[in-house]
Amino acid sequence: MEEFQLIAIFLFILFLLLGTGVWVGLALLGVAFVGMELFTSRPAGDTMITTIWSASSSWTLTALPMFIWMGEILFRTRLSEDMFKGLSPFMARLPGGLLHTNIVGCTVFAAVSGSSAATLTTVGKMSVPELRKRNYPEHMVIGTLAGAATLGLMIPPSLTLIVYGVTINESISKLFMAGILPGLVLALMFMGYAAIHARLSDSYNPTPEPPMTFGEKLWNARFLIPVLLLITAVIGSMYTGIATATEASAIGVIGSLVLAAAQGSLSWRTFTESLMGATRTSAMIALILAGAAFLSLSMGFTGLPRALAEWIAHLELSRFELLMALLVFYIVIGCFLDGISSVVLTMAVVEPMVRAAGIDLIWFGIFIVVVVEMAQITPPIGFNLFVLQGMTRHEMSYISKAALPMFAIMVLMVFVLIAVPDLATWLPENMRTGPAG
């Protein structure tokens, strides 16, 4: 029972600090410091300094601010406007019509931005007014956007996958490759839901789009070419082994600067705004990672992760039962913490259990991301819900209800991943590793 007393103490201090409005990173450092002082004889201050330095000076972690900066640059371009122009002629004739521009637009932008919020804001600021103008059902406009924006966490470059990879010391490039097929399958499931709803709903009566010839559609598709080239350069360089994730992030930044300059939307102001936006986000994540690294070390000294892993081993859960328990666990904590905080806070305890159960850590990274995606659209702390509330001025309850079918589809995606694990493991197993690794 001693481990449960330790858990109670750690959780009490953590929620006390978070409840007083302390930043998540500082709260993690505070809990770890108290744990070191109470339960070990090691000097807490020296250990904290060493751990923070080693956690922050990882070369792999360099990919994080670079991919954030790439997303920030593109966020300030006319990318969303061009995407709508390029996608809408091809989506208009599908069942569900231009609702698919929300989903496909988010999928495309997710491949150049690792952030769910950036994906939501970029696509939403263009698609919401256009879809409203065409009389699409409001709850479907909001629901598809809320769900599809979470693809920013899965389709590479994903900030959550970078954090997960650094936390468990796994290849970022392999994790990125693992996210591609599940991300596309999830996008297709969202599109399937939109199509079925359009066929079955009596209230679905949008204004039809004027017919276009195939030549006109292709001419409009020219707007998509620059961003598709950028995606190919970033993801293709990693898959072929030409570049590591860190080097691919540099390719992405240079490509996005060139793209913004070619569009005429790169000015000194947008450059500095994108740089400062990336700096703020990177600093926040780095502080959370430093706090999580110190907390993991502190918990390791107390023997808590090992004791919990042994306790769960004694329960003799099957692999499926363990995954179901983790699914419920992450859905619950996702109601109170953002995705990155959920991952770094729990990995010290969860990783030994997963290894002991013989679960592939690359596959588990995608499982974690799908479950963490749900946290983006679950009240009371679902970040995408807040962004959508600011964008559409609806009540939080209305937005949550509109996003509920997307939440159910993500739960279904978890079972698809469990039934077909090759979705997440085939690409990483078949990617080439060149001199760059």
Side-chain angles (χ1 to χ4, degrees), residues 55-201:
S56 306
S57 59
S58 160
W59 173 244
T60 311
L61 203 55
T62 314
L64 188 70
M66 296 292 276
F67 277 128
I68 293 170
W69 190 19
M70 178 174 113
E72 287 280 346
I73 294 164
L74 294 174
F75 172 62
R76 288 166 172 79
T77 66
R78 293 194 307 273
L79 182 67
S80 59
E81 191 178 332
D82 284 355
M83 273 201 306
F84 196 90
K85 286 179 189 171
L87 288 173
S88 56
F90 294 96
M91 302 295 117
R93 297 289 166 242
L94 296 175
L98 294 186
L99 282 175
H100 296 300
T101 57
N102 264 352
I103 300 162
V104 179
C106 285
T107 307
V108 171
F109 193 76
V112 287
S113 164
S115 164
S116 174
T119 302
L120 174 59
T121 311
T122 305
V123 177
K125 70 182 179 184
M126 183 62 200
S127 70
V128 170
E130 292 291 335
L131 293 175
R132 280 176 169 171
K133 197 193 304 179
R134 289 163 170 80
N135 198 33
Y136 279 85
E138 184 75 0
H139 71 281
M140 285 299 291
V141 173
I142 290 170
T144 52
L145 190 56
T150 63
L151 293 167
L153 297 182
M154 183 185 289
I155 294 176
S158 159
L159 304 187
T160 310
L161 283 176
I162 295 174
V163 169
Y164 173 81
V166 170
T167 307
I168 66 159
N169 198 25
E170 190 57 79
S171 164
I172 306 294
S173 296
K174 286 189 173 182
L175 284 165
F176 277 1
M177 290 304 112
I180 294 174
L181 291 180
L184 294 176
V185 169
L186 187 55
L188 287 172
M189 288 166 75
F190 289 149
M191 290 178 75
Y193 165 71
I196 291 166
H197 183 275
R199 282 280 185 254
L200 300 180
S201 173

Side-chain angles (χ1 to χ4, degrees), residues 73 122 137 163 166 175 263 283 301 320 323 370 388 400 437:
I73 294 164
T122 305
V163 169
V166 170
L175 284 165
Q263 278 191 328
F301 278 132
F320 180 76
L323 289 172
V370 176
L388 271 169
S400 301

Side-chain angles (χ1 to χ4, degrees), residues 146 150 330-339 342 370-386 396 399-401 403-404 406-408 410-411:
T150 63
Y330 276 107
I331 288 174
V332 171
I333 65 168
C335 292
F336 305 100
L337 288 173
D338 68 277
S342 301
V370 176
V371 183
V372 161
E373 281 179 351
M374 299 177 198
Q376 298 292 112
I377 55 173
T378 50
I381 312 290
F383 193 67
N384 282 11
L385 302 182
F386 288 116
M396 186 62 78
I399 297 170
S400 301
K401 189 177 174 184
L404 192 59
M406 299 299 165
F407 178 86
M410 288 181 206
V411 174

